Amino acid sequence: NIAQTTDVQGKNFSGSADPSFFNFSWERRSQEGFAYDLSYSYTGQEFDPKVGFLSMSGVKGPRVRLQYGWLPGTYSKLFSYSMSMFMHQNNRVVDYSLESAMYGPGFNFITKSGWTGRIGIYYSIQGVNEEFELADKVNVPVGKYRYVTTRNTLSTPMSKPLSTELTISAGEFYDGSNFTVTAQPIFNISSSVQISGFYNFNRIVFNDRNQEMNSHVGRLKFLYMYNTKLSVSAFVQYNSLENLTVSNFRLRYNPKEGNDLYLVYNEIRPVNSYFDGGLPEINLLNQIVQVKYVHTFKL
């Protein structure tokens, strides 16, 4: 993959790597035996696509995943399991210094009844060249940090009316510690109605600097599919760190392939603790109604 961004008129293509993106990947996919995923990417300092989906610019580095899997056969309760090794590294383009790196082994399994799980242990290196803030009065100073964490995920069978995915992460975090729990239940009431939830609890503690942070993010979503052409979804989300609730409603009508009509409503409301800093109290921060129609045709 090769891409380059230009000015707003689509001109000024450059031979320089600064406004460019490059990615090379080579994969061998298999549940049984040896598999791998090798890639190398470069994102220039001036590459800016303006549409999101870019976590950072001015970095380059490799990503490697090696895996060996087994299919245990008829008499086992396991459908498959595998061992893997992961490595991902980013270096800054400007001076080749380390931005971030992560290495570690993992174990994955899938049962014949539909349970899936993953256990991973990761050794991380973070090069922080500019202090950043995680929350009010909770920050990460400049420095080079090395720490070990574990991340474990268990998913129940998706074929059941009620299913869920549970993820627990724990371990060191920069010069402190972190504990995170995420639960994502899904309840299929019928073939047309689905209710899903999301809850994330995150606790970060820096004992040496007497700083700590607890955050809660919760979301409840409702989805109704009248048929393949008409669907309605709505959700409400609460973030304790930002002291905000976000609500969304979306109606989608798809009369035929290539034609879509969307009606979307969004609003952001503060909770009481949002005004603790002395801000004047208001009931609504943002409210948007959008109508979008897409029509695809042949010339």
Side-chain angles (χ1 to χ4, degrees):
N1 302 293
I2 300 175
Q4 186 176 98
T5 54
T6 68
D7 57 17
V8 293
Q9 285 79 32
K11 301 178 181 179
N12 296 337
F13 282 95
S14 169
S16 168
D18 287 340
S20 304
F21 167 83
F22 166 82
N23 180 77
F24 169 82
S25 63
W26 185 267
E27 296 180 62
R28 183 181 191 273
R29 302 178 184 177
S30 177
Q31 286 186 304
E32 186 175 26
F34 184 57
Y36 54 81
D37 182 354
L38 313 174
S39 66
Y40 183 89
S41 64
Y42 175 98
T43 307
Q45 297 182 82
E46 297 177 16
F47 181 75
D48 186 8
K50 297 291 187 182
V51 292
F53 310 109
L54 181 67
S55 57
M56 62 180 68
S57 58
V59 293
K60 61 179 181 178
R63 179 189 294 264
V64 177
R65 185 184 64 86
L66 307 176
Q67 176 180 296
Y68 197 92
W70 293 266
L71 299 176
T74 305
Y75 300 104
S76 174
K77 293 184 178 181
L78 291 175
F79 172 74
S80 68
Y81 61 96
S82 63
M83 300 291 296
S84 61
M85 180 62 69
F86 173 81
M87 186 275 280
H88 182 207
Q89 182 171 314
N90 276 323
N91 291 84
R92 300 182 182 97
V93 171
V94 62
D95 58 3
Y96 305 103
S97 61
L98 183 69
E99 170 76 24
S100 64
M102 183 180 291
Y103 317 90
F107 173 75
N108 301 269
F109 70 87
I110 304 174
T111 71
K112 290 177 180 176
S113 59
W115 291 74
T116 64
R118 173 173 174 78
I119 300 171
I121 301 174
Y122 303 102
Y123 174 69
S124 298
I125 307 174
Q126 300 288 340
V128 180
N129 60 358
E130 185 176 336
E131 182 176 297
F132 64 92
E133 191 175 72
L134 296 171
D136 188 28
K137 299 180 181 179
V138 180
N139 60 287
V140 176
V142 173
K144 193 170 186 178
Y145 300 90
R146 303 172 184 267
Y147 52 90
V148 177
T149 58
T150 179
R151 179 182 173 89
N152 309 290
T153 301
L154 181 66
S155 301
T156 64
M158 297 295 290
S159 59
K160 304 293 184 181
L162 178 62
S163 62
T164 189
E165 180 177 284
L166 179 67
T167 301
I168 299 176
S169 301
E172 300 168 313
F173 185 71
Y174 292 95
D175 57 337
S177 62
N178 172 240
F179 177 75
T180 303
V181 177
T182 304
Q184 301 181 71
I186 299 175
F187 183 31
N188 292 300
I189 299 176
S190 69
S191 60
S192 299
V193 180
Q194 182 187 88
I195 296 177
S196 60
F198 173 89
Y199 173 71
N200 173 268
F201 169 72
N202 193 11
R203 176 170 173 78
I204 297 172
V205 179
F206 299 112
N207 285 322
D208 293 342
R209 295 185 278 116
N210 295 318
Q211 297 180 1
E212 64 177 56
M213 180 194 84
N214 294 318
S215 69
H216 303 265
V217 177
R219 180 172 66 244
L220 183 65
K221 182 177 179 179
F222 172 83
L223 173 64
Y224 173 66
M225 295 164 285
Y226 179 74
N227 52 32
T228 58
K229 301 180 183 300
L230 180 64
S231 64
V232 175
S233 65
F235 75 81
V236 58
Q237 177 173 298
Y238 168 70
N239 186 323
S240 68
L241 205 60
E242 301 292 337
N243 294 314
L244 297 174
T245 60
V246 179
S247 302
N248 170 273
F249 171 87
R250 189 187 76 158
L251 181 147
R252 180 197 179 207
Y253 179 56
N254 172 228
K256 63 179 181 179
E257 194 64 31
N259 291 27
D260 286 284
L261 174 66
Y262 295 92
L263 173 63
V264 181
Y265 171 77
N266 287 294
E267 71 171 32
I268 301 176
R269 291 182 179 272
V271 297
N272 291 336
S273 51
Y274 181 85
F275 306 102
D276 290 346
L279 296 171
E281 294 194 17
I282 53 177
N283 294 323
L284 191 65
L285 293 178
N286 184 276
Q287 190 175 46
I288 299 174
V289 177
Q290 295 174 305
V291 178
K292 176 183 176 181
Y293 177 70
V294 179
H295 181 80
T296 305
F297 57 94
K298 183 187 295 185
L299 294 177

